Amino acid sequence: MKDVYLFSGFLGSGKTTLLKNMISQMKDKGLKPAVFMNELGKMNMDSDSVEDGVPLKEILDGCICCTGSEKSEAQIQTLLAEEDFDVLLIETTGAAHPVEALDAIFSPLFAEKLNFKGIVTVADSKRWMDRNNLSPQIRSLFLEQIRHADLILANKMDLLSDSEQGTVIYEIQSLNPTAQIIQTVHAKIPFSAVDNLATSPKKNIKQAPVSKLNLNAKVLQFDAPVQREKFEEWLRTLPDSVYRIKGYVPLEGDKYPHAFQFAYGMAQWLPEYMKMQNQIVVIGEGLEGVELP
């Protein structure tokens, strides 16, 4: 049987960073990981984070749960039939309910071949502090992702004061008293933390399907390179309902675009050394008026 871990967490919490970290550690231990990724939009920028040689399947523009479960089952079945691996890492979209996503794993087509180890939820600690500013439906999903975890990474702890860190841990522990909580920066944990997981019985699920969350993904394409300062000024004008931006931004004076990540008002730039599509994916609520400057 192949061990399976499901990585959950809201948009921009650090799931992909955790995924990369786990892939590296598993390979160091002689394990062969495979990855199944889910993305809300029509493009998956995060798939570029998966190392060459690691089997990868994706489902785009839909959810691993509910309406996308049949596609998810087909992708996992293909992985099992065609690839040689020891551990399957599933990264859900930030809009997925983790327990609903388990439907694809427990398909009667291959359930006996998989050993589900548990749900690892990456919780953005700073967003937790401001959770009451989220819309009711989004806040409900955010809490559900934490409530059903077997292991919780209270991530981005470096952005909080000591007293705020204590408050976050106490409140999260109160919401999910059975899960282990680890304070993290950049979602860094040892593989042993997930390897020792023992799943717990899942509590009642509060349904929060994507179609009712009002979340949308919008692709914005660049016609020409932009100035970094002006682009960052534009970011500051975006409404709080923009939860996540990722993609490739062409900057004036640079031959290749920069890989760009944005979550909770914070931007990250990384240089690229090859041609990429000059576009970004914006994920959030009420994106009708969001356009490039």
Side-chain angles (χ1 to χ4, degrees):
M1 295 181 71
K2 303 179 189 299
D3 287 345
V4 182
Y5 300 92
L6 191 145
F7 294 164
S8 176
F10 195 63
L11 300 158
S13 60
K15 294 188 301 298
T16 304
T17 303
L18 171 64
L19 178 70
K20 292 171 63 178
N21 182 21
M22 286 297 103
I23 288 173
S24 177
Q25 292 191 55
M26 288 177 180
K27 293 177 77 171
D28 287 345
K29 292 183 178 296
L31 296 171
K32 296 180 180 179
V35 174
F36 177 48
M37 301 183 85
N38 180 205
E39 192 56 83
L40 190 62
K42 295 181 182 294
M43 299 185 309
N44 194 351
M45 301 295 183
D46 292 336
S47 61
D48 297 332
S49 303
V50 178
E51 298 177 16
D52 291 340
V54 175
L56 168 69
K57 291 294 181 182
E58 303 168 282
I59 179 171
L60 304 181
D61 199 25
C63 186
I64 186 176
C65 52
C66 52
T67 56
S69 60
E70 290 185 3
K71 293 180 182 178
S72 301
E73 288 180 9
Q75 296 284 44
I76 293 174
Q77 191 170 26
T78 300
L79 273 174
L80 289 167
E82 299 179 357
E83 302 290 351
D84 177 26
F85 63 94
D86 302 309
V87 183
L88 177 60
L89 304 176
I90 299 178
E91 181 186 337
T92 64
T93 170
H97 192 298
V99 179
E100 290 179 353
L102 294 182
D103 285 345
I105 301 171
F106 294 123
S107 165
L109 297 174
F110 45 71
E112 77 285 351
K113 299 178 181 178
L114 301 178
N115 175 35
F116 179 64
K117 293 291 291 281
I119 296 171
V120 181
T121 291
V122 186
D124 184 330
S125 299
K126 189 165 179 59
R127 193 181 293 281
W128 173 268
M129 296 291 292
D130 293 333
R131 64 191 180 281
N132 290 331
N133 293 327
L134 298 171
S135 68
Q137 292 163 313
I138 295 296
R139 183 171 65 250
S140 175
L141 175 65
F142 182 45
L143 297 178
E144 284 287 281
Q145 290 171 338
I146 294 170
R147 182 169 169 254
H148 291 276
D150 300 295
L151 172 64
I152 300 168
L153 307 191
N155 199 30
K156 305 185 183 181
M157 276 289 173
D158 54 321
L159 304 179
L160 303 182
S161 67
D162 290 346
S163 62
E164 288 174 331
Q165 291 178 13
T167 298
V168 167
I169 297 301
Y170 175 77
E171 292 177 345
I172 289 179
Q173 191 76 77
S174 298
L175 179 64
N176 185 343
T178 63
Q180 180 187 6
I181 300 176
I182 302 177
Q183 299 183 50
T184 58
V185 176
H186 302 305
K188 287 185 178 179
I189 57 168
F191 171 61
S192 58
V194 299
D195 191 34
N196 294 331
L197 272 181
T199 56
S200 57
K202 298 306 166 198
K203 311 169 190 70
N204 292 331
I205 302 174
K206 295 180 181 178
Q207 298 290 337
V210 174
S211 60
K212 295 183 180 179
L213 288 175
N214 298 316
L215 276 175
N216 293 293
K218 188 173 187 177
V219 178
L220 301 179
Q221 298 180 331
F222 295 88
D223 296 325
V226 297
Q227 293 181 1
R228 177 167 170 169
E229 294 78 10
K230 289 188 175 180
F231 185 78
E232 291 184 341
E233 286 179 10
W234 171 72
L235 292 174
R236 288 190 285 271
T237 68
L238 294 175
D240 292 339
S241 57
V242 172
Y243 301 123
R244 183 88 159 98
I245 302 175
K246 53 189 173 181
Y248 300 95
V249 180
L251 297 179
E252 290 184 357
D254 291 337
K255 182 177 180 181
Y256 299 115
H258 276 59
F260 178 76
Q261 302 270 354
F262 175 87
Y264 208 74
M266 290 171 286
Q268 180 183 30
W269 299 86
L270 292 172
E272 280 288 341
Y273 301 99
M274 63 181 70
K275 288 186 177 180
M276 305 297 291
Q277 287 184 299
N278 293 333
Q279 57 191 18
I280 55 175
V281 179
V282 181
I283 302 174
E285 298 176 282
L287 302 179
E288 294 80 6
V290 175
E291 300 292 346
L292 288 173

